[in-house]
């Protein structure tokens, strides 16, 4: 049992550290995932959405610290209890998400490793079993060194996590795992390879039967009662086909799609704010001088946002912005850059630079 306990100790500790550090590299992305879980269609805890980022930072730092504490044998009782409570909660969450098909990616490993809902649940079940072994054998988890060393290691881990989280939130993730990383050509990312599998759909008819909306496929039409009332017809996805890495990027203004022309231009700068109401005032205040400097060097400067025209007009007037905004899907903009506002430099559709508004003065404009 001692050997099994130590194997579980290493596996759980290392996995918690790796998983936590990947999410700590991009706490903003993890907060977006938490907002999905807190939404009305999942846990219906919308009052927590404003605190999603703070919760995300706390959870990922705690995850890393627990992994370190387990490996060095620091306060084994507190550590095993914390691990058990955390994994029970996340096992419930991933089961709920998988069973009801609410959130298609748990975000357990950020964008570095995508897991389906059932894969996430399976992973948590395995972790739960390993942690149960640790919980009932906590007396076998001994410190690997004296109190001074273990205390120093845990404290140093906490300080490092705090600094790292602060750094990436005020700049950008150190490692970009997303589809829009520097070097990516957006046009190529949107292409579907020849022969790629296509999505399959089936027609579904909704009828009100005895006051209840009931679904019937196109092969079950003979089962519809004569007194049933037609409600709706829709196409339901049966099997998802190939989805290109970039599939929701477009830039529109006044109903006109400008995507192609911007992706074919050698010098384009996108000033991105997925939500202008949530954009940093200090960041918006820096955009005018930057846009003017970029324009003088031959760059086409375009704002990209999912906010409506009223908000755009308000922000443009308040900050005297000297460039136009185009509409783009909020999820796409959140994926492109973890800054609000953020700067993306394009060369014939290839992303050559990305910067947080704090680093706007470091953007190279050759």
């Amino acid at each position: 049992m001692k050997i099994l306990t130590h194997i579980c100790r290493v596996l759980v500790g290392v996995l918690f550290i790796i998983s936590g550090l990947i999410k700590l590299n991009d706490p903003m992305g993890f907060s977006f995932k938490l907002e999905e879980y807190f939404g009305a269609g999942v846990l219906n805890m919308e009052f927590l959405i404003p605190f999603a980022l703070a919760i995300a930072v706390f959870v990922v730092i705690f995850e890393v610290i627990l992994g370190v504490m387990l490996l060095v044998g620091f306060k084994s009782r507190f550590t095993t209890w914390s691990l058990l409570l955390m994994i029970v909660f996340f096992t419930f969450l991933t089961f709920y998400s998988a069973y009801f098909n609410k959130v298609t990616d748990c975000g357990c490993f950020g964008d570095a490793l995508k897991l389906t809902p059932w894969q996430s649940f399976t992973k948590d079940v395995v972790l739960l079993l390993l942690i149960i072994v640790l919980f009932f054998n906590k007396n076998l988890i001994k410190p690997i060194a004296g109190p001074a060393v273990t205390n120093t290691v845990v404290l140093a881990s906490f300080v490092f996590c705090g600094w790292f989280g602060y750094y990436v939130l005020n700049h950008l993730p150190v490692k970009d795992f997303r589809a829009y990383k520097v070097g990516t050509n957006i046009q190529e990312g949107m292409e579907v390879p020849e022969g790629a599998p296509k999505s399959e759909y089936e027609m579904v008819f909704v009828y009100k039967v005895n006051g209840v909306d009931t679904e019937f496929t196109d092969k079950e039409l003979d089962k519809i009662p004569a007194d049933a009332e037609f409600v709706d017809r829709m196409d339901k996805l049966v099997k998802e086909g190939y989805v290109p890495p970039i599939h929701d990027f477009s830039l529109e203004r006044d109903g006109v799609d400008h995507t192609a022309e911007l992706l074919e231009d050698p010098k384009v700068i996108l000033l991105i704010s997925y939500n202008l109401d949530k954009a940093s005032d200090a960041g918006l205040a820096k955009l005018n001088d930057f846009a003017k400097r970029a324009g003088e060097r031959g760059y086409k400067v375009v704002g990209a946002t999912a906010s409506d025209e009223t908000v755009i007009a308000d922000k443009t007037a308040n900050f005297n912005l000297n460039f136009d905004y185009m509409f783009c899907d909020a999820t796409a903009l959140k994926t492109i850059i973890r800054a609000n506002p953020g700067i993306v430099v394009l060369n014939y559709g290839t992303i050559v630079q990305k910067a947080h508004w704090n680093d706007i003065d470091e953007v190279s404009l050759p």
Side-chain angles (χ1 to χ4, degrees):
M1 184 58 71
K2 186 175 182 179
I3 294 176
L4 177 61
T5 300
H6 287 316
I7 292 174
C8 294
R9 176 180 179 176
V10 172
L11 289 175
V12 173
V14 170
L15 190 60
F16 263 64
I17 292 172
I18 293 174
S19 173
L21 286 176
I22 289 174
K23 292 195 288 289
L24 187 57
N25 173 67
D26 184 14
M28 187 70 71
F30 186 50
S31 74
F32 293 150
K33 187 60 59 178
L34 290 182
E35 288 178 6
E36 284 188 59
Y37 279 114
F38 295 152
V42 186
L43 296 178
N44 196 25
M45 301 171 70
E46 293 178 281
F47 65 93
L48 288 177
I49 290 179
F51 310 104
L53 181 57
I55 295 172
V57 172
F58 171 79
V59 168
V60 296
I61 290 180
F62 192 48
E63 188 174 355
V64 175
I65 299 302
L66 280 179
V68 173
M69 291 168 62
L70 180 62
L71 290 180
V72 301
F74 181 83
K75 295 188 180 298
S76 60
R77 181 179 177 82
F78 172 81
T79 301
T80 52
W81 265 108
S82 298
L83 288 169
L84 183 63
L85 292 175
M86 180 176 280
I87 198 60
V88 166
F89 173 73
F90 280 111
T91 302
F92 158 76
L93 200 61
T94 52
F95 171 76
Y96 180 87
S97 177
Y99 186 80
F100 293 101
N101 197 29
K102 294 292 185 178
V103 180
T104 56
D105 172 31
C106 72
C108 305
F109 295 96
D111 290 289
L113 177 63
K114 297 289 189 179
L115 298 177
T116 66
W118 284 114
Q119 287 173 338
S120 299
F121 172 67
T122 303
K123 180 264 299 178
D124 284 343
V125 169
V126 173
L127 267 177
L128 177 60
L129 295 175
L130 296 177
I131 291 172
I132 287 175
V133 172
L134 296 172
F135 182 79
F136 286 106
N137 294 280
K138 60 177 72 71
N139 60 308
L140 298 177
I141 303 174
K142 305 294 183 182
I144 61 173
V149 174
T150 54
N151 291 348
T152 300
V153 171
V154 173
L155 179 60
S157 301
F158 180 77
V159 171
F160 169 77
C161 288
W163 168 82
F164 189 59
Y166 177 82
Y167 177 84
V168 295
L169 285 173
N170 286 278
H171 299 278
L172 288 178
V174 173
K175 177 66 175 176
D176 193 347
F177 294 102
R178 285 159 287 144
Y180 295 90
K181 58 181 175 290
V182 172
T184 298
N185 183 275
I186 295 177
Q187 298 101 313
E188 292 177 359
M190 293 191 289
E191 293 176 355
V192 177
E194 186 177 349
K198 297 181 179 180
S199 296
E200 298 178 10
Y201 297 86
E202 67 177 3
M203 285 190 295
V204 175
F205 298 83
V206 182
Y207 280 82
K208 193 174 290 293
V209 180
N210 297 324
V212 179
D213 287 353
T214 307
E215 295 184 358
F216 298 89
T217 69
D218 55 345
K219 300 179 180 63
E220 300 174 323
L221 299 181
D222 58 326
K223 298 180 181 179
I224 301 175
D227 60 347
E229 178 185 349
F230 175 78
V231 176
D232 194 12
R233 190 199 76 81
M234 54 188 176
D235 293 326
K236 178 177 283 189
L237 180 65
V238 176
K239 182 180 179 182
E240 188 172 63
Y242 175 82
V243 179
I246 298 175
H247 55 274
D248 51 4
F249 179 83
S250 65
L251 292 164
E252 299 178 3
R253 180 170 175 78
D254 298 327
V256 179
D257 191 340
H258 295 273
T259 309
E261 67 180 81
L262 291 173
L263 295 182
E264 293 170 1
D265 195 295
K267 303 177 82 171
V268 172
I269 290 178
L270 300 180
L271 301 178
I272 294 176
S273 292
Y274 76 91
N275 186 329
L276 278 168
D277 278 331
K278 295 182 178 181
S280 164
D281 287 348
L284 292 175
K286 290 185 175 186
L287 297 185
N288 251 7
D289 288 341
F290 175 77
K292 181 179 179 182
R293 181 159 53 93
E296 291 172 349
R297 300 193 180 187
Y299 284 85
K300 183 180 293 184
V301 181
V302 176
T305 184
S307 298
D308 61 37
E309 292 296 333
T310 302
V311 176
I312 293 173
D314 181 58
K315 294 295 182 180
T316 298
N318 288 345
F319 292 92
N320 195 29
L321 300 178
N322 54 7
F323 54 88
D324 292 326
Y325 273 97
M326 293 187 182
F327 178 83
C328 185
D329 178 74
T331 300
L333 295 179
K334 289 177 182 180
T335 306
I336 293 171
I337 194 165
R338 304 298 201 206
N340 191 9
I343 302 94
V344 176
V345 183
L346 301 176
N347 174 250
Y348 293 110
T350 297
I351 300 173
V352 294
Q353 290 184 78
K354 293 170 69 172
H356 191 283
W357 63 264
N358 276 324
D359 302 314
I360 196 169
D361 295 329
E362 299 177 16
V363 177
S364 174
L365 298 174

